[in-house]
Amino acid sequence: MENSKLIQTETVLINASREKVWDILFNRFGQTHLYNPNIMGSHDTTSNQGEVGCERQCNIDKKTFIREKVIGVEEYNLIVIDTIGGNMPLVKHMQIKIKLEELSPSKTKVNMEAEYNTKPAFMAVLVRSMFKKMLTSVLIGLKYYLETGKTVSKENYKVISKEYYSLPVGTTFNF
């Protein structure tokens, strides 16, 4: 993408197999509302979940939404997601890469990288930290959901985040 900005999140260690992480991120692509505290809901917009080309809509609130499509994968290692529509303010285009690395049969390292453009263009620098914080919260929510089986929301994320940052590195939400 021309004149795009790049964000990289911190790495999050999830106490779950790479296959389990892959399942929620790719095979259940439309169910991001289970772990993403930045949205109030999500759903599939195509019937080909678990395939390149599958699409979802994420509802930020009652009026604001973004549509996303899986445009590439390296099975169990990488998912590339492209924005294909929506009315989210400031976002002209965004492409997200989610990288998975198996550390052991029950531990997976996950991070995100986003390349984005804003409208107007000068806002890209101003929203950088906000976008990075939002992407990091998705990974923390993913860890919480996979380790506890409990859904993450805007309402409970503050407590989850506080707990996450107090955890010793590599430990689980399920003590």
Side-chain angles (χ1 to χ4, degrees):
M1 291 186 297
E2 193 174 313
N3 298 321
S4 61
K5 302 295 181 201
L6 182 68
I7 300 169
Q8 292 187 318
T9 65
E10 62 185 71
T11 296
V12 173
L13 300 176
I14 300 176
N15 293 291
S17 70
R18 185 167 54 169
E19 291 77 15
K20 189 173 179 182
V21 177
W22 182 263
D23 180 59
I24 189 68
L25 291 173
F26 184 61
N27 298 325
R28 298 167 51 198
F29 185 65
Q31 297 179 20
T32 189
H33 65 278
L34 296 172
Y35 58 87
N36 185 340
N38 305 301
I39 63 175
M40 62 179 276
S42 66
H43 62 275
D44 305 324
T45 57
T46 59
S47 61
N48 60 336
Q49 296 306 293
E51 297 178 14
V52 172
C54 63
E55 299 176 10
R56 70 181 172 204
Q57 178 171 309
C58 298
N59 299 314
I60 287 72
D61 56 37
K62 290 181 182 182
K63 296 179 183 177
T64 312
F65 68 94
I66 193 162
R67 289 195 181 109
E68 300 173 316
K69 178 179 187 174
V70 173
I71 62 167
V73 298
E74 291 175 20
E75 192 169 18
Y76 300 110
N77 294 307
L78 174 71
I79 301 170
V80 183
I81 303 166
D82 218 359
T83 57
I84 57 169
N87 63 356
M88 196 163 109
L90 304 176
V91 177
K92 180 177 179 182
H93 185 256
M94 184 177 286
Q95 184 177 91
I96 296 172
K97 294 179 180 175
I98 306 173
K99 300 175 184 177
L100 286 69
E101 181 184 336
E102 182 177 73
L103 299 178
S104 75
S106 61
K107 190 172 284 202
T108 306
K109 181 168 81 169
V110 184
N111 71 342
M112 283 186 182
E113 177 180 289
E115 197 173 339
Y116 68 98
N117 295 96
T118 58
K119 52 182 178 189
F122 74 88
M123 292 298 291
V125 174
L126 300 175
V127 298
R128 180 184 182 86
S129 65
M130 178 185 74
F131 283 171
K132 184 173 182 171
K133 185 176 179 181
M134 289 172 67
L135 293 174
T136 298
S137 69
V138 172
L139 292 180
I140 293 169
L142 179 66
K143 175 181 175 66
Y144 182 83
Y145 174 74
L146 287 171
E147 291 179 359
T148 67
K150 297 176 185 172
T151 302
V152 178
S153 66
K154 290 179 182 184
E155 293 75 27
N156 68 5
Y157 180 72
K158 188 174 183 178
V159 171
I160 292 167
S161 174
K162 187 175 181 180
E163 185 177 345
Y164 171 78
Y165 285 109
S166 69
L167 289 174
V169 175
T171 59
T172 179
F173 278 106
N174 264 350
F175 296 114

